Amino acid sequence: KAGVTQTPRYLIKTRGQQVTLSCSPISGHRSVSWYQQTPGQGLQFLFEYFSETQRNKGNFPGRFSGRQFSNSRSEMNVSTLELGDSALYLCASSPEPSYNEQFFGPGTRLTVL
Amino acid sequence: DQQVKQNSPSLSVQEGRISILNCDYTNSMFDYFLWYKKYPAEGPTFLISISSIKDKNEDGRFTVFLNKSAKHLSLHIVPSQPGDSAVYFCAASASGTYKYIFGTGTRLKVLA
């Protein structure tokens, strides 16, 4: 089975721009979660989707949004980028029930200049 | 409010000895816990989990202990190997929330 894939792997943007990151979960996995990892902060939960519905959202500003498609693929969008948005963005998928472990992709490294 | 804490940013252990990584949590609603290992430039890899109905779970060299009264869990690696050198994250979840709260990680270095 192919693992979780994320595209692009690296991205450089400037302040004020917007960015869209993509995640393809493991085949058969219907839950997709997104996390932001910054040095010293660990992984911060952004949101979780299941069957195209957002079931939970972390404490991030409205500039961070996401969606899930009918094939379980997911995208997240960050608008009006700020320097502090520079981070590794990780996507994880899991089958239901939700207590199963999450399987992570390699992440997208976003640098905002 | 950091609900899951890993108070040791780093740990060094000799090869063959035991590594003990600790994690504390504050939310008594957490009922499922996981440990992940992360190498640079890779996503976290699942290691082992434990539900709140147990106090111990073992998988090969890895054992996780849960002390609910102290809101504390620990990961034991025996024997430690140089390939275990990585950052280890603990994570916790509460039923029906569909999210995991991660600690800030502990960097383990196993010395040959």
Side-chain angles (χ1 to χ4, degrees), chain A residues 8 11 16 25 42-44 46 51 54-55 61 77 82 86-87 97-98 105-106:
Chain A
L11 205 48
L43 279 71
Q44 302 289 311
L46 280 156
S51 291
Q54 185 183 91
R55 296 194 295 186
N77 184 277
E82 300 177 0
S86 294
S98 60

Side-chain angles (χ1 to χ4, degrees), chain A residues 23 25 30-34 47-50 68 72 74 91-93:
Chain A
C23 171
R30 298 165 68 191
S31 169
V32 173
S33 299
W34 288 89
F47 22 67
E48 190 266 358
Y49 288 89
F50 179 77
Q68 186 182 34
S72 295
S74 177
C91 166
S93 74

Side-chain angles (χ1 to χ4, degrees), chain B residues 35-84:
Chain B
W35 282 94
Y36 283 86
K37 176 170 72 174
K38 187 179 185 302
Y39 294 117
E42 294 182 13
T45 302
F46 170 75
L47 274 175
I48 192 167
S49 62
I50 188 167
S51 104
S52 59
I53 62 172
K54 293 185 172 183
D55 53 20
K56 176 182 172 182
N57 189 26
E58 202 169 347
D59 184 1
R61 297 187 297 115
F62 302 92
T63 303
V64 57
F65 295 91
L66 175 62
N67 182 333
K68 289 185 289 293
S69 60
K71 295 190 179 68
H72 176 84
L73 65 156
S74 61
L75 174 69
H76 293 209
I77 306 174
V78 184
S80 301
Q81 300 172 354
D84 296 330

Side-chain angles (χ1 to χ4, degrees), chain A residues 30-75:
Chain A
R30 298 165 68 191
S31 169
V32 173
S33 299
W34 288 89
Y35 295 86
Q36 180 196 65
Q37 185 188 11
T38 53
Q41 292 295 313
L43 279 71
Q44 302 289 311
F45 173 78
L46 280 156
F47 22 67
E48 190 266 358
Y49 288 89
F50 179 77
S51 291
E52 303 177 66
T53 299
Q54 185 183 91
R55 296 194 295 186
N56 206 337
K57 188 178 191 307
N59 295 325
F60 279 83
R63 300 184 297 106
F64 291 81
S65 63
R67 59 178 175 168
Q68 186 182 34
F69 302 95
S70 58
N71 61 358
S72 295
R73 191 177 69 84
S74 177
E75 288 181 349

Side-chain angles (χ1 to χ4, degrees), chain A residues 13-16 36-39 41 44 46 60-61 63-64 78-89 109-113:
Chain A
K13 292 284 189 179
T14 56
R15 278 181 299 174
Q36 180 196 65
Q37 185 188 11
T38 53
Q41 292 295 313
Q44 302 289 311
L46 280 156
F60 279 83
R63 300 184 297 106
F64 291 81
V78 188
S79 62
T80 320
L81 284 166
E82 300 177 0
L83 295 179
D85 297 334
S86 294
L88 180 67
Y89 290 88
R109 170 72 63 185
L110 171 65
T111 302
V112 182
L113 302 176

